[in-house]
Amino acid sequence: NDIVKFEALSPAEFFRRNREIAGFSNPTRAVYQTIRELVENSLDATETFKILPSIKIYIDYADQSRNWVSIYVEDNGIGIPGDEIPNVFGRVFYSSKYRIKQHRGIFGLGAKMVVLYAQSTTNTPILVRSAPLKSDVIYEYQLMIDITKNEPVIVSQRTLENKYAWHGTAIKVVLEGDWPKAKRRVEEYLRRTAMVAPYAEFVLRGPDEDDAIKIPRITTKMPDPPEEGLPHPKSVDVELIKQLIQRDPSMPLLEFLVENFDGVGETIAKTFLDFVGLPPDMPVGKLVNDELVNFVTKMREFNGWRRPRADWLSPIGEDILAEGVKFILRPEVVFTVTRKPSSYMGNPFIVEAALAWGGSIEPSDKPIIYRFANKVPLIYDEGNDVVRKIVDEIDWTQYKVKFPASLAIVVHICSTKIPYASAGKEAIAEVPEIESEVRNAVREVARKLRLYITRKEKEQELLMKYAI
Ligand code: ADP
Ligand code: MG
């Protein structure tokens, strides 16, 4: 009788059907994306807590006739509490990172995509072993996902004695993948990750002898971890305000603003309430529909807020970035800059850039670009990225560069909210504030290069003069 049938789709089912939007579009990408998601979780679980990361990645053929690959990733991070493990790997949109603080992870999706892809291709569970800091036991689970319910399915579970006081997480999955094709991408991904995290060490072992790579730790200096922040008044929407009101509808407006938002003191809050025309002692729960919308509009319009604080960010820093770039690219010289914090729509961000010149850098017709967002290398989709656009716009002759030249540009953008263009996290959407900071950062290192080249030319001249 019904002409059309209606039904709801669970988040797990949605991502099973649309795995390409999370980067799992084919067996090659699936291997790369799996390693990337697991490594990024490992880095978040270590450096955010001041632990020097040691990450091991072992890849093997599980069944070569069917292209089954097993992927194992182990870290020395803070581990996962035993009772959280099933949800963390078995419930799409379950995360400890839905906070105002810089992380590599953002969606609460990566680990679950790995499980979903593995189970959709090989029907095997993920194996998880984890020990939180100072835990007497190691928790072990085999997990799958009930896709229609978006719930974890515990296939098996046990605890092991933690004899050697280990802490960290180890994961093993078997999935359909093309390791020979993914290999180059994975190696490149690790090299680039190491470039901005020279305080981490990586060991990769593949099925063949010549697959092994080891990237050593070259410094024990680490950036300060980010603090957890509050939303900036310019970044809010009506729904967020409603959620905050629900916590305590009786709270007076003045207090509501001071308690819930970044950088709002009593003076600023009073000035703002004057601007909106509301009394400071009115209970916030009294705001009704239209007033709420107006309140939010005014929050966005008001020009008296402080700039968002950048304590929630953890930039790499000029010295560590220079060390990483020197080690990975082996250039003649490196210049770096960490720009001052800036913001877009209430979200703080910092742009860092490195320029590497000469040495082992392959000469090419335009600058080689390495892009990073929250320390995550972006490898695909370079053509759509703002960084490519800006570097191409620059007139390099102004900086005494004649192509072909050995020139690499590294740009790192960190923010509590990276405007990614898609769930696969490969390119950054165009945001004018970010574009202009990227331009400033690249120009700043380019000027340092011009000085360097000029000085070298002078030295050369002198040398010629006295040689004759
Ligand atoms: P996201 O990284 O976006 O939060 P994931 O699905 O990748 O989403 O991970 C979900 C959560 O699982 C993380 O927020 C984190 O709390 C936890 N987690 C995943 N991997 C690890 C790990 N290696 N060590 C510690 N915690 C982890
Ligand atoms: Mg993640």
Side-chain angles (χ1 to χ4, degrees):
N1 209 347
D2 301 344
I3 304 173
V4 286
K5 283 224 159 41
F6 295 92
E7 60 185 325
L9 202 61
S10 88
E13 178 63 22
F14 175 82
F15 283 103
R16 184 191 68 75
R17 293 189 192 185
N18 301 292
R19 61 195 186 201
E20 62 287 345
I21 63 179
F24 290 72
S25 41
N26 58 53
T28 308
R29 283 291 294 267
V31 170
Y32 160 78
Q33 196 70 28
T34 295
I35 292 171
R36 183 178 155 172
E37 294 292 357
L38 297 180
V39 167
E40 277 156 29
N41 283 346
S42 292
L43 288 166
D44 276 342
T46 45
E47 63 175 27
T48 317
F49 304 92
K50 274 263 170 194
I51 300 171
L52 290 166
S54 291
I55 298 173
K56 301 189 179 98
I57 305 156
Y58 303 148
I59 291 139
D60 214 339
Y61 296 121
D63 180 343
Q64 229 168 340
S65 65
R66 291 191 286 184
N67 288 330
W68 287 16
V69 176
S70 85
I71 297 175
Y72 173 91
V73 176
E74 182 192 310
D75 64 57
N76 59 337
I78 58 159
I80 308 165
D83 52 359
E84 293 287 0
I85 292 174
N87 279 328
V88 151
F89 292 95
R91 194 185 291 278
V92 171
F93 300 148
Y94 193 87
S95 172
S96 61
K97 301 176 200 165
Y98 296 141
R99 306 261 144 189
I100 296 181
K101 184 175 175 176
Q102 178 183 330
H103 291 117
R104 295 166 196 255
I106 42 172
F107 296 124
L109 177 65
K112 278 69 82 172
M113 273 318 298
V114 172
V115 182
L116 277 174
Y117 183 82
Q119 109 179 36
S120 314
T121 55
T122 67
N123 195 28
T124 54
I126 187 172
L127 176 72
V128 183
R129 270 197 198 137
S130 190
L133 300 170
K134 301 206 172 86
S135 171
D136 297 333
V137 295
I138 298 171
Y139 300 97
E140 186 189 275
Y141 282 89
Q142 282 190 290
L143 297 164
M144 294 182 85
I145 300 180
D146 181 329
I147 292 179
T148 42
K149 292 203 190 117
N150 189 29
E151 269 175 23
V153 177
I154 299 172
V155 178
S156 78
Q157 163 185 16
R158 60 177 180 154
T159 53
L160 313 163
E161 203 188 327
N162 192 7
K163 278 193 211 140
Y164 305 102
W166 175 65
H167 58 83
T169 303
I171 284 160
K172 191 178 172 183
V173 277
V174 177
L175 45 83
E176 194 183 296
D178 190 334
W179 168 247
K181 277 212 188 121
K183 192 172 123 181
R184 296 289 301 278
R185 290 274 180 192
V186 170
E187 286 171 359
E188 184 60 17
Y189 168 78
L190 287 179
R191 255 167 47 86
R192 293 191 189 201
T193 302
M195 196 190 290
V196 296
Y199 43 84
E201 63 181 4
F202 300 90
V203 173
L204 172 78
R205 238 171 35 205
D208 306 316
E209 286 282 320
D210 65 342
D211 285 344
I213 61 168
K214 202 173 166 194
I215 304 179
R217 169 178 299 130
I218 57 160
T219 174
T220 53
K221 269 184 284 163
M222 283 177 89
D224 288 329
E227 285 170 37
E228 189 177 320
L230 292 169
H232 189 272
K234 274 211 191 278
S235 71
V236 302
D237 64 10
V238 178
E239 195 50 41
L240 177 72
I241 299 288
K242 273 174 23 194
Q243 286 172 15
L244 293 172
I245 291 175
Q246 261 168 21
R247 286 194 206 158
D248 182 2
S250 67
M251 202 184 251
L253 275 176
L254 183 80
E255 208 184 322
F256 176 78
L257 288 167
V258 173
E259 294 249 311
N260 289 309
F261 300 98
D262 170 28
V264 183
E266 288 205 6
T267 320
I268 291 181
K270 274 190 193 130
T271 318
F272 172 69
L273 290 170
D274 254 9
F275 171 72
V276 198
L278 289 169
D281 54 357
M282 175 178 158
V284 62
K286 288 264 155 63
L287 288 176
V288 292
N289 294 330
D290 247 11
E291 285 172 326
L292 258 178
V293 178
N294 184 42
F295 192 73
V296 170
T297 312
K298 288 282 192 312
M299 277 178 104
R300 296 238 187 90
E301 283 170 13
F302 186 59
N303 281 323
W305 307 119
R306 284 206 198 94
R307 295 226 293 180
R309 255 186 291 176
D311 307 23
W312 340 132
L313 304 181
S314 174
I316 303 155
E318 295 176 354
D319 295 344
I320 299 177
L321 180 59
E323 285 194 64
V325 172
K326 247 184 238 157
F327 182 74
I328 298 291
L329 299 182
R330 312 241 172 233
E332 176 184 314
V333 64
V334 181
F335 305 104
T336 55
V337 63
T338 299
R339 300 274 309 166
K340 288 221 169 59
S342 185
S343 70
Y344 75 96
M345 286 159 65
N347 307 299
F349 72 92
I350 292 175
V351 173
E352 300 179 279
L355 182 155
W357 172 255
S360 301
I361 297 172
E362 284 287 313
S364 69
D365 291 335
K366 51 185 190 170
I368 300 169
I369 291 178
Y370 296 94
R371 300 171 291 135
F372 297 86
N374 285 352
K375 300 180 188 154
V376 174
L378 311 179
I379 294 183
Y380 293 93
D381 248 7
E382 183 181 296
N384 286 325
D385 202 278
V386 292
V387 177
R388 176 86 261 170
K389 193 181 103 185
I390 284 160
V391 170
D392 286 351
E393 273 169 15
I394 290 178
D395 172 11
W396 286 95
T397 57
Q398 232 185 302
Y399 301 101
K400 301 201 163 229
V401 176
K402 287 185 212 84
F403 288 100
S406 299
L407 175 62
I409 304 285
V410 179
V411 174
H412 176 227
I413 299 163
C414 63
S415 176
T416 47
K417 193 169 185 309
I418 299 277
Y420 285 111
S422 77
K425 299 186 284 192
E426 287 293 352
I428 295 177
E430 289 185 22
V431 172
E433 292 89 338
I434 293 184
E435 273 186 42
S436 104
E437 269 303 293
V438 169
R439 192 171 293 117
N440 290 337
V442 175
R443 287 213 180 120
E444 207 169 321
V445 285
R447 279 196 296 272
K448 293 184 192 178
L449 175 67
R450 184 175 56 205
L451 273 174
Y452 177 82
I453 294 177
T454 310
R455 204 177 315 128
K456 269 187 80 168
E457 281 172 357
K458 288 222 177 95
E459 276 170 21
Q460 198 68 28
E461 268 170 39
L462 276 175
L463 221 68
M464 296 299 275
K465 207 157 129 192
Y466 291 108
I468 292 167

